[in-house]
Amino acid sequence: MRESQVELREHIDNLASELGRINEHQKVSLDLDPYVKKLLNARRRVVLVNNILQNAQERLRRLNHNVAKETARRKTMLEASGAFITRPSGKP
């Protein structure tokens, strides 16, 4: 997902640059500035969404790590207290 956002951002930058060059070389007065601004605004939103996604992924990674640590800690406590008793198979 991150790679596609970086690629999209690069395409938006290239397109905005190309529109700027076209606008400079046009003999007929054609105002492309609003479109360039829209592209740059879209780029800003892509960057914002990417940052939000990265932060959410980092929080999820930390949460997952903490859950694994807590699970291991509780399992160790149960085994140490003898409460982790296995039942013979076939009996309730």
Coordinates of all heavy atoms in Angstrom, one line a residue:
M1 N 0.8 -1.2 0.0 CA 0.0 0.0 0.0 C 0.9 1.3 0.0 O 0.6 2.2 -0.7 CB -0.9 0.0 1.2 CG -1.8 1.1 1.3 SD -3.1 0.9 0.1 CE -4.2 2.2 0.7
R2 N 1.9 1.3 0.8 CA 2.8 2.4 0.9 C 3.4 2.7 -0.4 O 3.6 3.9 -0.8 CB 3.8 2.2 2.0 CG 4.7 3.4 2.2 CD 5.8 3.0 3.2 NE 6.9 3.8 3.0 CZ 7.2 4.9 3.8 NH1 6.4 5.2 4.7 NH2 8.3 5.6 3.6
E3 N 3.9 1.7 -1.1 CA 4.6 1.9 -2.4 C 3.6 2.5 -3.4 O 4.1 3.4 -4.2 CB 5.1 0.5 -2.9 CG 6.2 -0.1 -2.1 CD 6.6 -1.5 -2.6 OE1 6.2 -1.9 -3.7 OE2 7.3 -2.1 -1.8
S4 N 2.4 2.1 -3.4 CA 1.4 2.7 -4.4 C 1.2 4.1 -4.1 O 1.0 4.9 -5.0 CB 0.1 1.9 -4.4 OG -0.5 1.9 -3.2
Q5 N 1.2 4.5 -2.8 CA 1.0 5.9 -2.4 C 2.2 6.8 -2.9 O 2.0 7.9 -3.3 CB 0.7 6.1 -1.0 CG -0.7 5.5 -0.6 CD -0.9 5.6 0.9 OE1 0.0 5.7 1.7 NE2 -2.1 5.4 1.3
V6 N 3.4 6.2 -2.7 CA 4.6 6.9 -3.1 C 4.5 7.1 -4.6 O 4.8 8.2 -5.1 CB 5.8 6.2 -2.6 CG1 7.1 6.7 -3.3 CG2 6.0 6.2 -1.1
E7 N 4.2 6.0 -5.3 CA 4.1 6.1 -6.8 C 3.0 7.1 -7.2 O 3.3 7.9 -8.1 CB 3.7 4.7 -7.3 CG 3.8 4.6 -8.8 CD 3.6 3.2 -9.3 OE1 4.0 2.2 -8.6 OE2 2.9 3.1 -10.4
L8 N 1.9 7.1 -6.6 CA 0.9 8.1 -6.9 C 1.3 9.5 -6.7 O 1.1 10.4 -7.5 CB -0.4 7.8 -6.1 CG -1.6 8.8 -6.2 CD1 -2.0 8.8 -7.7 CD2 -2.7 8.4 -5.3
R9 N 2.0 9.7 -5.6 CA 2.6 11.1 -5.3 C 3.6 11.5 -6.3 O 3.5 12.7 -6.8 CB 3.2 11.1 -3.9 CG 3.5 12.4 -3.3 CD 4.0 12.4 -1.9 NE 5.2 11.6 -1.8 CZ 5.5 10.8 -0.8 NH1 4.6 10.6 0.2 NH2 6.6 10.1 -0.7
E10 N 4.4 10.6 -6.8 CA 5.4 10.9 -7.8 C 4.7 11.2 -9.2 O 5.0 12.2 -9.8 CB 6.3 9.7 -8.0 CG 7.3 9.6 -6.9 CD 8.1 8.3 -7.0 OE1 7.9 7.5 -7.9 OE2 9.1 8.1 -6.2
H11 N 3.6 10.5 -9.5 CA 2.9 10.8 -10.7 C 2.2 12.1 -10.6 O 2.2 12.9 -11.6 CB 1.8 9.7 -11.0 CG 2.4 8.4 -11.5 ND1 3.1 8.3 -12.7 CD2 2.3 7.1 -11.0 CE1 3.5 7.1 -12.9 NE2 3.0 6.3 -11.9
I12 N 1.6 12.5 -9.5 CA 1.0 13.8 -9.3 C 2.0 14.9 -9.5 O 1.8 15.9 -10.2 CB 0.3 13.9 -7.9 CG1 -0.9 13.0 -7.9 CG2 -0.1 15.3 -7.6 CD1 -1.6 12.8 -6.6
D13 N 3.2 14.7 -8.9 CA 4.3 15.7 -9.0 C 4.7 15.9 -10.5 O 4.8 17.0 -11.0 CB 5.5 15.3 -8.2 CG 5.3 15.5 -6.7 OD1 4.4 16.2 -6.3 OD2 6.1 14.9 -6.0
N14 N 4.8 14.8 -11.2 CA 5.2 14.8 -12.6 C 4.2 15.5 -13.5 O 4.5 16.3 -14.3 CB 5.5 13.4 -13.2 CG 6.8 12.8 -12.6 OD1 7.6 13.5 -12.1 ND2 6.8 11.5 -12.6
L15 N 2.9 15.1 -13.2 CA 1.8 15.7 -13.9 C 1.7 17.2 -13.7 O 1.5 18.0 -14.6 CB 0.5 15.1 -13.6 CG -0.7 15.4 -14.4 CD1 -0.5 15.3 -15.9 CD2 -1.9 14.6 -14.0
A16 N 1.9 17.7 -12.4 CA 1.9 19.1 -12.1 C 3.0 19.8 -12.8 O 2.8 20.9 -13.3 CB 1.9 19.3 -10.6
S17 N 4.2 19.2 -12.8 CA 5.3 19.9 -13.5 C 5.0 20.0 -15.0 O 5.3 21.0 -15.7 CB 6.6 19.0 -13.3 OG 6.9 19.0 -12.0
E18 N 4.5 18.9 -15.6 CA 4.2 18.9 -17.0 C 3.1 19.9 -17.4 O 3.3 20.6 -18.4 CB 3.7 17.5 -17.5 CG 3.6 17.3 -18.9 CD 4.9 17.4 -19.7 OE1 6.0 17.1 -19.1 OE2 4.9 17.8 -20.9
L19 N 2.1 20.0 -16.6 CA 1.1 21.1 -16.8 C 1.7 22.5 -16.7 O 1.3 23.3 -17.5 CB -0.1 20.9 -15.8 CG -1.0 19.8 -16.1 CD1 -2.1 19.7 -14.9 CD2 -1.8 20.0 -17.4
G20 N 2.6 22.7 -15.8 CA 3.3 24.0 -15.7 C 4.1 24.3 -16.9 O 4.0 25.4 -17.4
R21 N 4.8 23.3 -17.4 CA 5.6 23.5 -18.7 C 4.7 23.8 -19.9 O 5.0 24.6 -20.7 CB 6.5 22.3 -18.9 CG 7.7 22.2 -18.1 CD 8.7 21.2 -18.6 NE 8.2 19.8 -18.5 CZ 8.4 19.1 -17.4 NH1 9.0 19.5 -16.3 NH2 7.9 17.9 -17.4
I22 N 3.6 23.0 -20.0 CA 2.6 23.2 -21.1 C 2.1 24.6 -21.0 O 2.0 25.3 -22.0 CB 1.5 22.2 -21.0 CG1 2.0 20.8 -21.4 CG2 0.4 22.6 -21.9 CD1 1.1 19.7 -21.2
N23 N 1.7 25.1 -19.8 CA 1.2 26.4 -19.6 C 2.1 27.5 -20.0 O 1.7 28.5 -20.6 CB 0.7 26.5 -18.1 CG -0.3 27.7 -17.9 OD1 -1.1 28.0 -18.8 ND2 -0.3 28.3 -16.7
E24 N 3.4 27.3 -19.7 CA 4.4 28.3 -20.1 C 4.6 28.4 -21.6 O 4.9 29.5 -22.1 CB 5.8 27.9 -19.4 CG 5.8 28.1 -18.0 CD 7.1 27.6 -17.3 OE1 8.0 27.1 -18.1 OE2 7.2 27.6 -16.1
H25 N 4.5 27.3 -22.3 CA 4.7 27.2 -23.7 C 3.5 27.4 -24.6 O 3.6 27.4 -25.8 CB 5.4 25.9 -24.1 CG 6.8 25.8 -23.6 ND1 7.1 25.9 -22.2 CD2 8.0 25.7 -24.2 CE1 8.4 25.8 -22.1 NE2 9.0 25.7 -23.2
Q26 N 2.4 27.6 -24.0 CA 1.1 27.7 -24.8 C 1.1 29.1 -25.4 O 1.3 30.1 -24.8 CB -0.1 27.6 -23.8 CG -0.5 26.2 -23.5 CD -1.1 25.5 -24.7 OE1 -1.3 26.0 -25.8 NE2 -1.4 24.2 -24.5
K27 N 0.7 29.1 -26.7 CA 0.5 30.4 -27.4 C -0.9 30.9 -27.1 O -1.1 32.1 -27.0 CB 0.7 30.2 -28.9 CG 2.1 29.8 -29.3 CD 2.3 29.6 -30.7 CE 3.7 29.3 -31.0 NZ 4.0 29.0 -32.4
V28 N -1.8 30.0 -27.0 CA -3.2 30.4 -26.6 C -3.2 30.5 -25.1 O -2.7 29.6 -24.4 CB -4.2 29.4 -27.1 CG1 -5.6 29.7 -26.7 CG2 -4.1 29.2 -28.6
S29 N -3.8 31.5 -24.6 CA -3.9 31.7 -23.2 C -4.8 30.7 -22.6 O -6.0 30.7 -22.8 CB -4.4 33.1 -22.8 OG -4.5 33.3 -21.5
L30 N -4.3 29.8 -21.9 CA -5.0 28.7 -21.3 C -4.6 28.6 -19.8 O -3.4 28.3 -19.5 CB -4.8 27.4 -22.0 CG -5.6 26.2 -21.5 CD1 -7.1 26.4 -21.8 CD2 -5.2 24.9 -22.3
D31 N -5.5 28.9 -18.9 CA -5.1 28.9 -17.5 C -5.2 27.5 -16.9 O -6.3 27.0 -16.6 CB -6.0 29.9 -16.7 CG -5.5 30.1 -15.3 OD1 -4.3 29.8 -15.0 OD2 -6.3 30.6 -14.5
L32 N -4.0 26.9 -16.7 CA -4.0 25.6 -16.1 C -3.7 25.6 -14.6 O -3.6 24.6 -13.9 CB -2.9 24.7 -16.8 CG -3.1 24.4 -18.3 CD1 -2.0 23.7 -18.9 CD2 -4.4 23.6 -18.5
D33 N -3.5 26.8 -14.1 CA -3.1 26.9 -12.7 C -4.2 26.3 -11.7 O -3.8 25.6 -10.8 CB -2.9 28.4 -12.3 CG -1.6 28.9 -12.8 OD1 -0.7 28.1 -13.1 OD2 -1.5 30.2 -12.9
P34 N -5.5 26.4 -12.0 CA -6.4 25.8 -11.1 C -6.2 24.3 -11.0 O -6.4 23.6 -10.0 CB -7.8 26.2 -11.6 CG -7.6 27.4 -12.4 CD -6.1 27.3 -13.0
Y35 N -5.9 23.7 -12.2 CA -5.7 22.2 -12.3 C -4.4 21.8 -11.5 O -4.4 20.8 -10.9 CB -5.7 21.8 -13.7 CG -7.0 22.1 -14.4 CD1 -7.0 23.2 -15.4 CD2 -8.2 21.5 -14.2 CE1 -8.2 23.5 -16.0 CE2 -9.3 21.8 -14.8 CZ -9.4 22.8 -15.7 OH -10.5 23.2 -16.3
V36 N -3.4 22.6 -11.7 CA -2.1 22.4 -11.0 C -2.4 22.4 -9.5 O -2.0 21.6 -8.7 CB -1.0 23.4 -11.4 CG1 0.2 23.2 -10.5 CG2 -0.7 23.1 -12.9
K37 N -3.2 23.4 -9.0 CA -3.5 23.5 -7.6 C -4.3 22.4 -7.1 O -4.1 21.9 -6.0 CB -4.2 24.9 -7.3 CG -3.3 26.1 -7.4 CD -4.1 27.3 -7.2 CE -3.2 28.5 -7.4 NZ -3.9 29.8 -7.3
K38 N -5.2 21.9 -7.9 CA -6.0 20.7 -7.6 C -5.1 19.5 -7.4 O -5.3 18.7 -6.5 CB -7.1 20.4 -8.6 CG -8.3 21.4 -8.5 CD -9.4 21.0 -9.5 CE -10.5 21.9 -9.4 NZ -11.6 21.6 -10.3
L39 N -4.2 19.3 -8.3 CA -3.2 18.2 -8.3 C -2.4 18.3 -7.0 O -2.2 17.3 -6.3 CB -2.3 18.2 -9.5 CG -2.9 17.6 -10.8 CD1 -2.0 17.8 -11.9 CD2 -3.2 16.1 -10.6
L40 N -1.9 19.5 -6.7 CA -1.1 19.6 -5.5 C -1.9 19.4 -4.2 O -1.4 18.8 -3.3 CB -0.4 21.0 -5.5 CG 0.6 21.2 -6.6 CD1 1.1 22.7 -6.6 CD2 1.7 20.3 -6.6
N41 N -3.1 19.8 -4.3 CA -4.0 19.5 -3.1 C -4.2 18.0 -3.0 O -4.2 17.5 -1.9 CB -5.3 20.3 -3.3 CG -6.2 20.2 -2.0 OD1 -5.7 20.2 -0.9 ND2 -7.5 20.2 -2.2
A42 N -4.4 17.3 -4.1 CA -4.6 15.9 -4.0 C -3.3 15.2 -3.5 O -3.4 14.3 -2.7 CB -4.9 15.3 -5.4
R43 N -2.2 15.7 -3.9 CA -0.9 15.2 -3.4 C -0.8 15.4 -1.9 O -0.4 14.5 -1.2 CB 0.3 15.9 -4.1 CG 1.6 15.4 -3.7 CD 2.7 16.3 -4.2 NE 4.0 15.8 -3.9 CZ 4.6 15.9 -2.7 NH1 4.0 16.4 -1.6 NH2 5.8 15.4 -2.5
R44 N -1.2 16.6 -1.4 CA -1.1 16.8 0.0 C -2.0 15.8 0.8 O -1.7 15.3 1.8 CB -1.6 18.3 0.3 CG -1.5 18.7 1.7 CD -2.1 20.1 2.0 NE -3.5 20.2 1.6 CZ -4.5 19.7 2.3 NH1 -4.3 19.1 3.4 NH2 -5.8 19.9 1.8
R45 N -3.2 15.6 0.2 CA -4.1 14.6 0.9 C -3.5 13.2 0.9 O -3.7 12.5 1.8 CB -5.5 14.6 0.2 CG -6.3 15.9 0.5 CD -7.7 15.8 0.1 NE -7.8 15.4 -1.3 CZ -8.2 16.1 -2.3 NH1 -8.6 17.4 -2.1 NH2 -8.3 15.6 -3.5
V46 N -2.9 12.8 -0.2 CA -2.2 11.5 -0.3 C -1.2 11.4 0.8 O -1.1 10.4 1.5 CB -1.6 11.2 -1.7 CG1 -0.7 10.0 -1.7 CG2 -2.8 11.0 -2.7
V47 N -0.4 12.4 0.9 CA 0.7 12.4 1.9 C 0.1 12.3 3.3 O 0.5 11.6 4.2 CB 1.6 13.7 1.8 CG1 2.5 13.8 3.0 CG2 2.4 13.6 0.5
L48 N -1.0 13.1 3.6 CA -1.7 13.0 4.9 C -2.2 11.6 5.2 O -2.0 11.1 6.3 CB -2.8 14.1 4.9 CG -3.6 14.2 6.2 CD1 -2.8 14.7 7.3 CD2 -4.8 15.1 6.0
V49 N -2.9 11.0 4.2 CA -3.5 9.7 4.4 C -2.3 8.7 4.7 O -2.4 7.8 5.5 CB -4.3 9.3 3.2 CG1 -4.7 7.8 3.2 CG2 -5.6 10.1 3.2
N50 N -1.2 8.9 3.9 CA -0.1 8.0 4.1 C 0.5 8.1 5.6 O 0.8 7.1 6.2 CB 1.0 8.3 3.1 CG 2.2 7.3 3.2 OD1 2.0 6.1 3.4 ND2 3.4 7.8 3.0
N51 N 0.6 9.3 6.1 CA 1.0 9.5 7.4 C 0.1 8.9 8.5 O 0.5 8.2 9.4 CB 1.2 11.0 7.7 CG 2.4 11.6 7.0 OD1 3.3 10.9 6.6 ND2 2.4 12.9 6.8
I52 N -1.2 9.1 8.2 CA -2.2 8.5 9.2 C -2.1 7.0 9.1 O -2.1 6.3 10.2 CB -3.6 8.9 8.8 CG1 -3.8 10.4 9.1 CG2 -4.7 8.1 9.5 CD1 -5.0 11.0 8.5
L53 N -1.9 6.4 7.9 CA -1.8 4.9 7.8 C -0.5 4.4 8.5 O -0.6 3.4 9.2 CB -1.7 4.6 6.3 CG -2.8 3.7 5.7 CD1 -2.6 3.6 4.2 CD2 -2.9 2.4 6.4
Q54 N 0.6 5.1 8.3 CA 1.8 4.7 9.0 C 1.7 4.7 10.5 O 2.1 3.8 11.2 CB 3.0 5.6 8.5 CG 3.5 5.3 7.2 CD 4.6 6.2 6.8 OE1 4.8 7.3 7.3 NE2 5.4 5.8 5.8
N55 N 1.0 5.8 11.0 CA 0.9 5.9 12.5 C 0.0 4.8 13.0 O 0.2 4.2 14.0 CB 0.3 7.2 12.8 CG 1.3 8.4 12.7 OD1 2.5 8.1 12.7 ND2 0.8 9.6 12.5
A56 N -1.1 4.5 12.3 CA -2.0 3.4 12.7 C -1.3 2.0 12.6 O -1.5 1.2 13.5 CB -3.3 3.4 11.8
Q57 N -0.5 1.8 11.6 CA 0.2 0.6 11.5 C 1.2 0.4 12.6 O 1.4 -0.7 13.2 CB 0.9 0.5 10.1 CG 0.0 0.2 9.0 CD 0.7 0.3 7.6 OE1 1.7 1.0 7.5 NE2 0.1 -0.4 6.6
E58 N 1.9 1.5 13.0 CA 2.9 1.5 14.1 C 2.1 1.2 15.4 O 2.6 0.4 16.2 CB 3.6 2.8 14.2 CG 4.6 2.8 15.3 CD 5.7 1.7 15.3 OE1 6.0 1.2 14.2 OE2 6.2 1.4 16.3
R59 N 1.0 1.8 15.7 CA 0.2 1.5 16.9 C -0.2 0.1 16.9 O -0.2 -0.6 18.0 CB -1.0 2.5 17.0 CG -0.6 3.9 17.4 CD -1.8 4.7 17.8 NE -2.9 4.7 16.8 CZ -3.1 5.6 15.9 NH1 -2.2 6.6 15.8 NH2 -4.1 5.5 15.1
L60 N -0.7 -0.4 15.8 CA -1.1 -1.8 15.7 C 0.0 -2.8 16.0 O -0.1 -3.8 16.7 CB -1.7 -2.1 14.3 CG -2.4 -3.4 14.1 CD1 -3.5 -3.7 15.2 CD2 -2.9 -3.5 12.7
R61 N 1.2 -2.5 15.4 CA 2.4 -3.3 15.7 C 2.7 -3.3 17.1 O 3.0 -4.4 17.7 CB 3.6 -2.8 14.8 CG 4.8 -3.7 14.9 CD 6.1 -3.0 14.5 NE 6.4 -1.9 15.3 CZ 7.0 -2.0 16.5 NH1 7.2 -3.1 17.0 NH2 7.3 -0.9 17.2
R62 N 2.7 -2.1 17.8 CA 3.0 -2.1 19.2 C 2.0 -2.8 20.1 O 2.3 -3.6 21.0 CB 3.1 -0.6 19.7 CG 4.4 0.0 19.3 CD 4.6 1.4 20.0 NE 3.5 2.2 20.1 CZ 3.3 3.3 19.3 NH1 4.2 3.6 18.4 NH2 2.2 4.0 19.4
L63 N 0.7 -2.7 19.7 CA -0.3 -3.4 20.4 C -0.2 -4.9 20.3 O -0.3 -5.6 21.3 CB -1.7 -2.9 19.9 CG -2.9 -3.6 20.5 CD1 -3.0 -3.2 22.0 CD2 -4.2 -3.1 19.8
N64 N 0.1 -5.3 19.1 CA 0.3 -6.8 18.8 C 1.5 -7.3 19.7 O 1.4 -8.4 20.3 CB 0.5 -7.0 17.3 CG 0.3 -8.4 16.9 OD1 -0.2 -9.2 17.7 ND2 0.8 -8.8 15.7
H65 N 2.6 -6.5 19.7 CA 3.7 -6.9 20.5 C 3.4 -7.0 22.0 O 3.8 -8.0 22.7 CB 4.8 -5.9 20.3 CG 6.1 -6.1 21.1 ND1 6.9 -7.1 20.9 CD2 6.5 -5.5 22.2 CE1 7.9 -7.1 21.8 NE2 7.7 -6.1 22.6
N66 N 2.6 -6.0 22.5 CA 2.2 -6.0 23.9 C 1.3 -7.2 24.2 O 1.4 -7.8 25.3 CB 1.6 -4.7 24.3 CG 2.6 -3.6 24.3 OD1 3.8 -3.8 24.5 ND2 2.1 -2.3 24.2
V67 N 0.4 -7.5 23.3 CA -0.5 -8.7 23.5 C 0.3 -10.0 23.6 O 0.1 -10.8 24.5 CB -1.6 -8.7 22.4 CG1 -2.3 -10.1 22.4 CG2 -2.6 -7.6 22.6
A68 N 1.3 -10.1 22.7 CA 2.1 -11.3 22.7 C 2.9 -11.4 24.0 O 3.0 -12.5 24.6 CB 3.0 -11.3 21.5
K69 N 3.4 -10.3 24.5 CA 4.2 -10.3 25.7 C 3.3 -10.7 26.9 O 3.7 -11.5 27.7 CB 4.8 -8.9 26.0 CG 6.3 -8.8 25.8 CD 6.9 -7.4 25.9 CE 6.3 -6.6 27.0 NZ 7.1 -5.3 27.1
E70 N 2.1 -10.1 26.9 CA 1.2 -10.4 28.1 C 0.7 -11.8 28.0 O 0.6 -12.5 29.1 CB 0.0 -9.4 28.0 CG -1.0 -9.6 29.1 CD -0.4 -9.2 30.5 OE1 0.6 -8.6 30.6 OE2 -1.0 -9.7 31.5
T71 N 0.5 -12.3 26.8 CA 0.1 -13.7 26.7 C 1.2 -14.7 27.2 O 0.9 -15.6 27.9 CB -0.3 -14.1 25.2 OG1 -1.3 -13.2 24.8 CG2 -0.7 -15.5 25.1
A72 N 2.4 -14.4 26.8 CA 3.5 -15.2 27.3 C 3.7 -15.1 28.8 O 3.9 -16.1 29.5 CB 4.8 -14.8 26.6
R73 N 3.5 -13.9 29.3 CA 3.6 -13.7 30.8 C 2.6 -14.5 31.5 O 2.9 -15.2 32.5 CB 3.5 -12.2 31.1 CG 3.8 -11.9 32.6 CD 3.5 -10.4 32.9 NE 2.1 -10.1 32.9 CZ 1.2 -10.3 33.8 NH1 1.6 -11.0 34.9 NH2 0.0 -10.0 33.7
R74 N 1.3 -14.4 31.1 CA 0.2 -15.2 31.7 C 0.4 -16.7 31.6 O 0.1 -17.4 32.6 CB -1.1 -14.7 31.2 CG -1.5 -13.3 31.6 CD -2.8 -13.0 31.1 NE -3.2 -11.6 31.5 CZ -4.4 -11.1 31.5 NH1 -5.4 -11.9 31.1 NH2 -4.6 -9.9 31.8
K75 N 0.9 -17.1 30.5 CA 1.1 -18.6 30.3 C 2.2 -19.0 31.3 O 2.0 -20.1 31.9 CB 1.5 -18.9 28.9 CG 1.6 -20.3 28.6 CD 2.0 -20.6 27.1 CE 2.2 -22.1 26.9 NZ 2.7 -22.3 25.6
T76 N 3.2 -18.3 31.4 CA 4.3 -18.6 32.3 C 3.8 -18.7 33.8 O 4.1 -19.6 34.5 CB 5.5 -17.6 32.2 OG1 5.9 -17.6 30.9 CG2 6.6 -18.0 33.1
M77 N 3.0 -17.7 34.1 CA 2.4 -17.6 35.5 C 1.5 -18.8 35.8 O 1.6 -19.5 36.8 CB 1.6 -16.3 35.7 CG 2.4 -15.1 35.9 SD 1.5 -13.6 36.1 CE 0.2 -14.0 37.3
L78 N 0.7 -19.2 34.8 CA -0.2 -20.4 34.9 C 0.6 -21.6 35.1 O 0.3 -22.5 35.9 CB -1.2 -20.4 33.8 CG -2.3 -19.4 33.8 CD1 -3.1 -19.5 32.4 CD2 -3.3 -19.6 34.9
E79 N 1.6 -21.8 34.2 CA 2.4 -23.0 34.3 C 3.2 -23.1 35.6 O 3.3 -24.1 36.2 CB 3.4 -23.0 33.1 CG 2.7 -23.3 31.8 CD 3.7 -23.1 30.6 OE1 4.8 -22.5 30.8 OE2 3.3 -23.6 29.5
A80 N 3.6 -22.0 36.1 CA 4.4 -21.9 37.4 C 3.5 -22.2 38.6 O 3.9 -22.9 39.5 CB 5.0 -20.6 37.6
S81 N 2.2 -21.8 38.5 CA 1.3 -22.1 39.6 C 0.7 -23.5 39.6 O 0.0 -23.9 40.5 CB 0.2 -21.0 39.7 OG -0.6 -21.2 38.6
G82 N 0.9 -24.2 38.5 CA 0.4 -25.5 38.4 C -1.1 -25.5 37.9 O -1.7 -26.6 37.9
A83 N -1.6 -24.4 37.6 CA -3.0 -24.3 37.1 C -3.2 -24.7 35.7 O -4.3 -24.9 35.2 CB -3.5 -22.8 37.3
F84 N -2.1 -24.9 35.0 CA -2.1 -25.3 33.6 C -2.1 -26.8 33.5 O -1.1 -27.4 33.2 CB -1.0 -24.6 32.9 CG -1.2 -24.4 31.4 CD1 -1.8 -23.3 30.9 CD2 -0.9 -25.4 30.5 CE1 -2.0 -23.1 29.6 CE2 -1.1 -25.2 29.2 CZ -1.7 -24.1 28.7
I85 N -3.2 -27.4 33.9 CA -3.3 -28.9 33.9 C -3.9 -29.4 32.6 O -4.9 -28.9 32.2 CB -4.2 -29.3 35.1 CG1 -3.6 -28.8 36.4 CG2 -4.3 -30.8 35.1 CD1 -4.5 -29.0 37.6
T86 N -3.2 -30.4 32.1 CA -3.7 -31.0 30.8 C -4.5 -32.2 31.2 O -4.2 -32.9 32.1 CB -2.6 -31.4 29.9 OG1 -1.7 -32.3 30.6 CG2 -1.7 -30.2 29.5
R87 N -5.7 -32.3 30.5 CA -6.6 -33.4 30.8 C -6.3 -34.5 29.8 O -5.9 -34.3 28.7 CB -8.0 -33.0 30.6 CG -8.5 -31.9 31.5 CD -9.9 -31.6 31.3 NE -10.3 -30.6 32.3 CZ -11.5 -30.1 32.3 NH1 -12.4 -30.5 31.5 NH2 -11.8 -29.2 33.2
P88 N -6.4 -35.8 30.3 CA -6.2 -36.9 29.3 C -7.2 -36.8 28.2 O -8.4 -36.4 28.4 CB -6.4 -38.1 30.2 CG -6.4 -37.7 31.6 CD -6.7 -36.2 31.6
S89 N -6.9 -37.2 27.0 CA -7.8 -37.1 25.9 C -8.9 -38.1 26.1 O -8.8 -39.2 26.7 CB -7.1 -37.4 24.6 OG -6.5 -38.7 24.7
G90 N -10.1 -37.7 25.7 CA -11.3 -38.5 25.7 C -12.1 -38.3 27.0 O -13.2 -38.8 27.1
K91 N -11.6 -37.6 28.0 CA -12.3 -37.4 29.2 C -12.6 -35.9 29.3 O -11.8 -35.1 29.0 CB -11.5 -37.9 30.4 CG -11.3 -39.4 30.5 CD -10.6 -39.7 31.7 CE -10.4 -41.3 31.8 NZ -9.8 -41.6 33.0
P92 N -13.8 -35.6 29.8 CA -14.2 -34.2 30.0 C -13.5 -33.5 31.1 O -13.0 -34.0 32.0 CB -15.7 -34.2 30.2 CG -16.1 -35.6 30.5 CD -14.9 -36.5 30.1

